[in-house]
Amino acid sequence: MSAVPSLRHLLLLRPRLRFIALSTSSSPFLSYAPSHHFSPSSLRVLSSSSSPTLTQEEADEAVGKGSSLIDVNPPRGTRDFPPDDMRLRNWLFQNFREVSRILSFEEVDFPVLESEALFIRKAGEEITQQLYNFEDKGGRRVVLRPEITPSLARLVIKQGKSVSLPLKWFTIGQCWRYERMTRGRRREHYQWNMDIFGVSKVRGEAELIQAIVLLFERLGINSSDVGIRVSSRKVLQAVLQMYAIPDNLFTQVCVIVDKLGKITREEIEKELLSLGVSIQAVNGIIEVLSLKSLSKLEEVLGSEEEAVSELKKLFSLAESYGYADWICFDASVVRGLAYYTGIVFEAFDREGKLRAICGGGRYDRLLSTFGSEDIPACGFGFGDAVIVELLKDKGLLPDLAHRVDDIVFPLDEVLDGTASRIASSLRKKGRSVDLVEDKRLKWVFKHAERIGASRLILVGNSEWERGAVRVKNLSTREEFEVKIDELV
Amino acid sequence: MSAVPSLRHLLLLRPRLRFIALSTSSSPFLSYAPSHHFSPSSLRVLSSSSSPTLTQEEADEAVGKGSSLIDVNPPRGTRDFPPDDMRLRNWLFQNFREVSRILSFEEVDFPVLESEALFIRKAGEEITQQLYNFEDKGGRRVVLRPEITPSLARLVIKQGKSVSLPLKWFTIGQCWRYERMTRGRRREHYQWNMDIFGVSKVRGEAELIQAIVLLFERLGINSSDVGIRVSSRKVLQAVLQMYAIPDNLFTQVCVIVDKLGKITREEIEKELLSLGVSIQAVNGIIEVLSLKSLSKLEEVLGSEEEAVSELKKLFSLAESYGYADWICFDASVVRGLAYYTGIVFEAFDREGKLRAICGGGRYDRLLSTFGSEDIPACGFGFGDAVIVELLKDKGLLPDLAHRVDDIVFPLDEVLDGTASRIASSLRKKGRSVDLVEDKRLKWVFKHAERIGASRLILVGNSEWERGAVRVKNLSTREEFEVKIDELV
């Protein structure tokens, strides 16, 4: 608890601090978590959590006996947000919020800690196998939520008849997964969710996709950078019916075939066969999933099939909205969540370098799995990771430096009251004011540049005797003497 | 998983839903968590968590075999934020952010899950006795943070020499406490923190208090509603020196005497005596803590005492800033956190009905407890609970209804493409547009009122043949026919 650190402490500690400062200079935003609900290859991190940490022994040695240096990193797989990263996050979230407002969605939120029961599903999804779960002191099973949709559904059930349908809600929140850490993975990300309850038509999906496209456009991304692949779980459902595979296998089949491209075809076959799906059906499923054209799908399934008519309707609406060039049919899109029942979609970079940017779909039967009446619903999740990687690749990251209006600097200690008065009066007008003391003028000028200050207000004795201050406009380099009561 | 709920299910479920809807109508904001870092009488909740829950048995019976209704409440002691509550929270946070901007603070953030080691302190503080802690799957001791200051200190150490001092950071984040739940307590709250590292003078505290006052003023609260009590831990330190009580007991004495007024004087005495403090010293401490005037304090401790000169400087600066009418000296303010070392303060409602609204102080020796070099620092925490109670009492809660610019409503299903085109074009101009389908016109008008829409745009066949729509201005009740390309 000594306030005066030993010289040895200072000397030994400094290299450590410098190293950490360097290792955090690459933004955690650029090495990020995934899109809609975590995908297996996601959560790569290059920065914070991989910065080497002193062993306890080394730390003890470095700081001498008595007080050892704590681990200055956040828990493994999590991020701090220093000012630069926070500005980027706020900017991104602000765009999420603005698009949600334009689509007339209302914001909601839920506890990051939820009951585990809300996330226990038996379909074998990765998301439920990597729950960040605990037992609390009261013996309750709780979990840092891996996704937000179940909380949303819970609140819809809780609100019951008091809400009028359709209900259009969005939320931005942190989601967690627990998996064995290999180097460069992350355990948390933030996710923007937009969900519609009470719209059974594909209008719901069409609105969600417009929101995603509007977001991309606001960020400066165009349809030659990014596309949105669309399919429907009803395609798979129709194929299962063709092969007389029982309905109760549907969800598990979806979860398995979602892994196509992530694990080998042989492994997929093996998993499907072990469910009791015949080899003919397996081949049929994989063949249909390779279709990239809606007219081909119509040939295979027939135009009467719901999967086909809904997809055609969505593509027709896309023409009306004006985002047809952003979307394409791709039967291989299944998405990894158990509860999707209809149209599913995901945004991808056309260069194919990144993981899915976001994903979503229709989940008309989620509420009944919670014991309530079903309400038709659809939604998407849009992570804060891949989008930032993409923006960086495209050179679209905004310049978000700290911006301050005025620096007030008393040139003499006896003027600290006067400086307070001036700062206070400017602040009451809404200007952002940094009051600086006990520094050299040279430092103040450097500081002004660093924080992007517009004006420097120097409070000096001789000017003050005339009831004035010196004001330096930092962009024009002009300098004036201004009477206190004329300062605005 | 059946999409068609049984009639029995519907009939039995409905009363439950209605009851829950009623029980959540009182805002969780109005029954809230505490101010700076939790205080013992805090976390009272009247709404969500106290809404009775069906037992598992009742739920099973209600929905029939197979799928039982999940608990629709968030985990005990936590809140959901439906749209109304979320708007209020966003409004409050927006004010926190705006004041922080005006004071030229930069926003930062940290994981809500931290290493337990960061919060293990031995002074007997309530906050460290109610840690919401767990062991994760990797055997690490982790905790849902009870306060944010230690994370802030961790990041300051991590950034090391790469940051230039002084450093002015703010953050808004959720904090957790775990305690045995009695009816009407809460386990989480949100907290606005502002902290300054690298300013040793009371200028730091003076700036923080200006931020708090500016916040109050923005919210419509004045100095006859609220005051800020100020004292210094150095008062206690001086008294301990007078009685030759060893320095290493200082923190524990502070934590104990902070309970004055919460537990009986006898219990305080007992705790101090068991530390080894003499009965004379106990009486001396309690006598000094009853002082409400700075000149009296000066008489007791002498004008040379740091506690006195710093407090006098703060009150003099308060005159210059123009907030002297908000603050008063009160030696009984100690604050419950172990790490404060100098000036401490807390805001209170002058009617004395509520708990502390916020609290903070100087903590110059926190970093050395983490094994790093000390940097002088001060900060405060401002919870989202008491302030909302106060605003409600004073009738100052803002009107924050949902506001939408336009409703686009196709009068015929064949016009859904046209409606999409119109909605899309208005949205690209930044207008918020709700696209409504499959409803009766009467419902649409009611809905327009509910969401505060400015215009209703009716897409009908006959107008459409003329390339036009009907636009109804919902405030003036005027109605026009407008050409599509003239619609703005």
Side-chain angles (χ1 to χ4, degrees), chain B residues 48 114 163 227 285 337 424:
Chain B
S48 36
E114 277 278 12
V163 292
I285 289 168
L337 290 169
S424 182

Side-chain angles (χ1 to χ4, degrees), chain A residues 93-369:
Chain A
F93 287 10
Q94 193 43 49
N95 278 292
F96 292 159
R97 287 205 166 86
E98 179 60 8
V99 168
S100 305
R101 183 194 68 78
I102 284 173
L103 272 281
S104 85
F105 279 55
E106 294 184 274
E107 189 168 359
V108 292
D109 196 22
F110 312 95
V112 67
L113 192 79
E114 277 279 10
S115 298
E116 192 187 54
L118 212 52
F119 299 92
I120 297 293
R121 299 190 295 256
K122 291 171 192 132
E125 299 156 274
E126 187 176 50
I127 201 168
T128 62
Q129 291 167 353
Q130 299 180 335
L131 290 181
Y132 218 126
N133 51 6
F134 307 99
E135 185 167 291
D136 78 9
K137 288 176 179 170
R140 284 176 210 86
R141 296 296 308 172
V142 289
V143 59
L144 289 172
R145 62 177 173 208
E147 54 154 340
I148 303 181
T149 310
S151 302
L152 204 75
R154 181 178 60 63
L155 183 57
V156 170
I157 300 171
K158 180 176 158 192
Q159 301 272 69
K161 306 294 175 202
S162 74
V163 291
S164 123
L165 296 178
L167 180 152
K168 301 174 184 184
W169 281 352
F170 81 97
T171 187
I172 302 169
Q174 199 170 20
C175 298
W176 297 73
R177 70 185 285 175
Y178 193 92
E179 56 157 359
R180 207 165 292 279
M181 286 289 290
T182 49
R183 195 181 162 85
R185 294 226 166 199
R186 266 240 311 288
R187 287 180 171 159
E188 53 80 18
H189 75 161
Y190 281 87
Q191 205 177 79
W192 171 40
N193 279 241
M194 288 183 83
D195 292 86
I196 302 176
F197 282 81
V199 173
S200 55
K201 290 183 176 176
V202 291
R203 168 67 75 192
E205 292 91 322
E207 290 272 290
L208 295 176
I209 294 173
Q210 183 177 36
I212 294 168
V213 170
L214 284 177
L215 190 273
F216 285 138
E217 287 174 344
R218 288 180 68 86
L219 302 185
I221 293 166
N222 58 50
S223 60
S224 61
D225 302 321
V226 161
I228 301 172
R229 294 188 190 104
V230 182
S231 184
S232 173
R233 287 253 171 123
K234 287 177 185 170
V235 171
L236 261 175
Q237 204 174 19
V239 177
L240 297 200
Q241 271 158 14
M242 281 164 61
Y243 291 96
I245 297 165
D247 275 357
N248 60 14
L249 295 183
F250 174 64
T251 305
Q252 281 160 285
V253 170
C254 290
V255 169
I256 294 169
V257 299
D258 176 59
K259 298 178 200 160
L260 259 173
K262 294 161 198 162
I263 60 175
T264 64
R265 182 175 163 154
E266 287 67 39
E267 287 169 299
I268 304 274
E269 276 180 18
K270 213 175 122 189
E271 288 194 36
L272 288 175
L273 290 170
S274 78
L275 266 191
V277 178
S278 69
I279 186 69
Q280 290 82 357
V282 170
N283 291 332
I285 289 168
I286 292 177
E287 197 173 320
V288 170
L289 289 184
S290 71
L291 297 177
K292 308 275 182 220
S293 130
L294 208 43
S295 53
K296 267 277 179 323
L297 184 76
E298 192 168 349
E299 273 175 36
V300 176
L301 300 182
S303 59
E304 295 300 296
E305 185 55 54
E306 241 182 19
V308 174
S309 57
E310 287 179 0
L311 283 164
K312 283 170 78 175
K313 181 69 193 176
L314 181 62
F315 280 84
S316 143
L317 283 174
E319 291 283 351
S320 304
Y321 278 97
Y323 60 70
D325 48 334
W326 288 81
I327 70 170
C328 57
F329 171 72
D330 183 338
S332 73
V333 176
V334 178
R335 303 297 303 160
L337 291 169
Y339 47 69
Y340 288 131
T341 53
I343 283 179
V344 280
F345 53 87
E346 63 189 22
F348 64 100
D349 69 303
R350 295 203 191 263
E351 289 183 51
K353 295 197 296 187
L354 307 170
R355 304 175 300 280
I357 302 165
C358 69
R362 175 163 291 279
Y363 53 96
D364 284 348
R365 293 193 294 273
L366 179 59
L367 266 54
S368 62
T369 67

Side-chain angles (χ1 to χ4, degrees), chain A residues 377-392:
Chain A
C378 55
F380 69 80
F382 193 121
D384 68 344
V386 184
I387 186 64
V388 173
E389 282 184 70
L390 179 70
L391 291 170
K392 195 202 166 197

Side-chain angles (χ1 to χ4, degrees), chain B residues 287-413:
Chain B
E287 198 173 320
V288 169
L289 291 183
S290 70
L291 297 178
K292 308 276 182 220
S293 129
L294 208 44
S295 54
K296 268 275 180 325
L297 183 76
E298 193 168 348
E299 274 175 38
V300 176
L301 301 182
S303 59
E304 296 300 297
E305 185 56 55
E306 242 182 18
V308 174
S309 57
E310 287 179 359
L311 284 164
K312 282 170 79 176
K313 181 68 194 178
L314 181 62
F315 280 84
S316 143
L317 284 174
E319 291 285 350
S320 304
Y321 278 97
Y323 60 71
D325 48 334
W326 288 81
I327 69 169
C328 56
F329 171 72
D330 184 337
S332 74
V333 175
V334 178
R335 303 298 303 161
L337 290 169
Y339 47 68
Y340 289 132
T341 53
I343 284 180
V344 281
F345 53 86
E346 63 189 23
F348 64 99
D349 69 305
R350 295 203 190 263
E351 288 183 53
K353 294 197 294 187
L354 306 171
R355 303 176 300 281
I357 302 165
C358 68
R362 175 163 291 279
Y363 52 96
D364 285 348
R365 292 192 295 272
L366 180 59
L367 266 55
S368 63
T369 68
F370 294 146
S372 181
E373 305 166 50
D374 275 321
I375 297 173
C378 56
F380 68 81
F382 194 120
D384 68 344
V386 183
I387 186 63
V388 173
E389 282 183 70
L390 180 70
L391 291 171
K392 196 202 165 197
D393 283 0
K394 303 280 173 198
L396 292 170
L397 282 181
D399 172 28
L400 296 168
H402 188 197
R403 289 270 172 277
V404 161
D405 295 325
D406 301 317
I407 292 178
V408 172
F409 180 59
L411 293 162
D412 189 315
E413 202 174 342

Side-chain angles (χ1 to χ4, degrees), chain A residues 409-441:
Chain A
F409 180 60
L411 294 162
D412 189 316
E413 203 175 342
V414 298
L415 292 169
D416 63 356
T418 310
S420 312
R421 201 165 297 130
I422 293 165
S424 181
S425 129
L426 290 167
R427 285 168 175 167
K428 282 180 181 164
K429 294 181 180 112
R431 293 184 70 85
S432 61
V433 178
D434 193 14
L435 208 169
V436 175
E437 280 179 337
D438 302 322
K439 296 283 182 182
R440 301 167 73 96
L441 195 53

Side-chain angles (χ1 to χ4, degrees), chain A residues 10 17 80-81 87 101 106 109 137 154 168 203 210 313 321 373 416 424 427 430 434 437, chain B residues 10 80-81 87 101 106 109 154 157 168 203 210 313 321 373 416 424 427 430 434 437:
Chain A
L10 285 173
L17 291 177
D80 289 323
F81 288 87
R87 270 190 288 274
R101 183 194 68 78
E106 294 184 274
D109 196 22
K137 288 176 179 170
R154 181 178 60 63
K168 301 174 184 184
R203 168 67 75 192
Q210 183 177 36
K313 181 69 193 176
Y321 278 97
E373 304 167 51
D416 63 356
S424 181
R427 285 168 175 167
D434 193 14
E437 280 179 337
Chain B
L10 284 174
D80 290 322
F81 288 86
R87 270 191 288 273
R101 183 193 69 77
E106 295 184 272
D109 197 21
R154 181 178 59 64
I157 300 172
K168 301 175 183 184
R203 169 66 76 190
Q210 183 178 33
K313 181 68 194 178
Y321 278 97
E373 305 166 50
D416 62 355
S424 182
R427 284 168 176 167
D434 192 14
E437 281 179 334

Side-chain angles (χ1 to χ4, degrees), chain B residues 242-279:
Chain B
M242 281 163 61
Y243 291 97
I245 297 166
D247 275 358
N248 60 12
L249 295 183
F250 174 64
T251 305
Q252 280 159 287
V253 170
C254 289
V255 169
I256 294 169
V257 299
D258 176 60
K259 299 178 198 160
L260 260 173
K262 293 161 199 162
I263 62 175
T264 65
R265 181 173 163 155
E266 287 67 38
E267 286 169 298
I268 303 276
E269 277 178 18
K270 215 174 119 189
E271 289 194 36
L272 289 174
L273 290 169
S274 77
L275 266 191
V277 178
S278 70
I279 186 68

Side-chain angles (χ1 to χ4, degrees), chain B residues 6 13 63 72 93 121 123 132 147 182 184 216 253 309 419 426 468 484:
Chain B
S6 71
L13 201 54
V63 295
V72 294
F93 287 9
R121 298 191 294 257
Y132 217 125
E147 53 155 340
T182 49
F216 285 139
V253 170
S309 57
L426 290 167
I484 293 295

